[in-house]
Amino acid sequence: MAVNFDEAVVHLEKRGFLDVSIDPTLDLFAEIERLKKEKNAVILAHYYQEADIQDIADYIGDSLGLAQEAEKTDADIIVFAGVHFMAETAKILNPEKKVLLPDLKAGCSLSDSCPPSVFKKFKEEHPDHIVISYINCSAGIKALSDIICTSSNAKLIVDSLPKDQKIIFAPDKNLGGYINKKSGRDMLLWNGTCMVHEIFSLEKITKLKIRHPEAKLIAHPECEEAVLKIADFVGSTTQLLKYTQTSDVNTFIVATETGILHQMQQSSPGKTFIAAPPDNACACNDCPHMKLNTLEKLYLCLKYELPEITMEEGLRIAAKKPIDRMLQMSKELGL
Ligand code: 13P
Ligand code: SF4
């Protein structure tokens, strides 16, 4: 229910976003552009955001690209159209900037699967291991990690470490298991999963493959092993997008969140993209967290500069170290 600004601020913490009524005749695209210039703000959006948000963003990318962009921006305000851990990473890198998230409740099941207090005990039980954490985790987990990685650079980062280095990989057991297989490692895996990528239906995907024998199945490494096993290509969202752009194949079954299809369709209008179906009644697989952000919420958060990401300075400094290490390693690896 839309309310006035003062009431909305009172309700902000509980609701996660500013619910203020918007004049329905307003051209939100034009207003957002105007506010962006006026406030020297930049909009960074993940590929899983709704199409309107992708269209108004200054930069669209995967988790690594977004972190790299956040590190180098000279904007005063970063509006992060993504989920909480992504906006938090932008804040960790930019303590002096205002980082806004259109809906603070845009979380991540993978991040939630790894509470810092429990993980701390697990880490203490394995003092001879270093910790590599997938960026889909809280600042608390980052502060307990040695290196952060994303799905774009995880294998290269793991491969760059000595073969006998003992490693805990958190929180995604599917990505960790995939890297173990690809790099011949035996990393200790935290038992976390993504609610979106773990529910793809192997049976329905197999039927689609039979119906479209010319199609390539492309999958994000957060998918379960059985899906990754039959995939023609596995990669981060950016890598999947690039694969569709450079491949001479015309049909793709896409096993990741459906938001990415917008960029795939835009950059290859002549090609066909089929969203891999989940194991439920839906035909496609949306991340309920990513999709909490809307163009209206983005407009309100830019206008009122709320909700804002804040963080205790000690935690921020501890969480920054492994992110800096990832960014440095990525630079050295040419990513
Ligand atoms: P990418 O790093 O590939 O963008 O993945 C982010 C994510 O949340 C996947 O579910
Ligand atoms: Fe988290 Fe999965 Fe949503 Fe990505 S798709 S933000 S990993 S819940």
Side-chain angles (χ1 to χ4, degrees):
M1 183 192 57
V3 289
N4 69 40
F5 177 68
D6 293 332
E7 284 174 58
V9 171
V10 172
H11 291 124
L12 180 58
E13 205 170 314
K14 211 160 109 194
R15 307 193 72 169
F17 64 98
L18 269 183
D19 188 9
V20 181
S21 52
I22 301 174
D23 174 358
T25 63
L26 210 61
D27 177 348
L28 287 184
F29 286 96
E31 276 305 297
I32 290 170
E33 285 298 345
R34 186 185 63 75
L35 288 168
K36 241 169 40 179
K37 282 197 191 92
E38 187 184 298
K39 295 171 184 256
N40 188 27
V42 69
I43 300 176
L44 306 183
H46 189 267
Y47 292 120
Y48 296 165
Q49 293 294 282
E50 62 174 40
D52 281 350
I53 293 181
Q54 292 190 39
D55 291 346
I56 193 89
D58 296 290
Y59 176 85
I60 316 163
D62 68 358
S63 305
L64 177 63
L66 287 163
Q68 288 169 326
E69 208 59 30
E71 192 196 24
K72 65 182 187 212
T73 183
D74 54 11
D76 296 316
I77 295 179
I78 298 173
V79 180
F80 213 109
V83 290
H84 195 274
F85 75 81
M86 295 176 173
E88 207 173 48
T89 302
K91 183 65 186 176
I92 291 166
L93 293 168
N94 293 286
E96 74 295 347
K97 295 189 201 302
K98 206 173 244 188
V99 178
L100 308 170
L101 180 63
D103 191 324
L104 272 186
K105 290 209 192 302
C108 169
S109 68
L110 199 43
S111 179
D112 291 346
S113 71
C114 197
S117 58
V118 187
F119 184 72
K120 188 165 178 283
K121 281 201 193 107
F122 178 70
K123 184 185 158 176
E124 282 163 2
E125 285 160 19
H126 305 282
D128 52 346
H129 287 58
I130 66 158
V131 175
I132 301 183
S133 294
Y134 188 34
I135 199 164
N136 299 36
C137 64
S138 63
I141 294 297
K142 289 186 174 80
L144 292 167
S145 305
D146 296 287
I147 314 174
I148 296 302
C149 71
T150 75
S151 50
S152 281
N153 58 21
K155 181 172 178 299
L156 290 175
I157 285 179
V158 170
D159 283 348
S160 72
L161 300 172
K163 269 275 170 216
D164 57 353
Q165 175 65 63
K166 292 182 177 170
I167 302 170
I168 292 174
F169 189 90
D172 188 13
K173 69 169 183 187
N174 289 328
L175 174 62
Y178 176 71
I179 293 164
N180 268 347
K181 263 224 173 84
K182 285 278 164 191
S183 55
R185 297 260 179 175
D186 187 20
M187 297 188 296
L188 204 49
L189 308 180
W190 184 260
N191 191 20
T193 53
C194 158
M195 63 188 290
V196 176
H197 289 85
E198 72 173 347
I199 61 160
F200 284 114
S201 162
L202 187 63
E203 195 188 327
K204 289 182 194 171
I205 290 176
T206 307
K207 279 185 186 154
L208 272 177
K209 271 171 79 81
I210 294 167
R211 213 176 312 138
H212 302 275
E214 76 290 3
K216 292 278 185 209
L217 170 64
I218 59 174
H220 195 280
E222 286 174 22
C223 292
E224 289 192 323
E225 191 185 354
V227 172
L228 297 178
K229 233 184 201 159
I230 60 163
D232 297 292
F233 179 74
V234 175
S236 73
T237 46
T238 295
Q239 290 164 345
L240 296 179
L241 176 62
K242 282 193 181 144
Y243 181 83
T244 64
Q245 289 164 338
T246 52
S247 165
D248 49 18
V249 170
N250 278 318
T251 309
F252 302 89
I253 301 166
V254 184
T256 190
E257 211 269 359
T258 37
I260 187 76
L261 266 64
H262 182 57
Q263 293 303 316
M264 288 177 173
Q265 262 147 5
Q266 280 201 329
S267 60
S268 306
K271 296 185 181 180
T272 304
F273 301 97
I274 306 165
D279 199 5
N280 58 31
C282 301
C284 59
N285 207 355
D286 278 341
C287 170
H289 305 289
M290 285 278 183
K291 295 301 194 295
L292 280 180
N293 294 326
T294 60
L295 196 66
E296 288 75 13
K297 288 180 190 172
L298 192 152
Y299 161 72
L300 287 173
C301 105
L302 182 53
K303 181 172 178 190
Y304 295 107
E305 302 182 17
L306 283 170
E308 185 183 353
I309 302 286
T310 55
M311 201 178 305
E312 191 267 311
E313 186 59 4
L315 175 63
R316 189 192 70 79
I317 291 169
K320 187 169 184 288
K321 240 170 101 181
I323 299 174
D324 283 344
R325 194 147 173 216
M326 170 188 80
L327 292 171
Q328 183 55 34
M329 288 175 94
S330 298
K331 212 176 270 172
E332 288 162 13
L333 291 162
L335 297 169

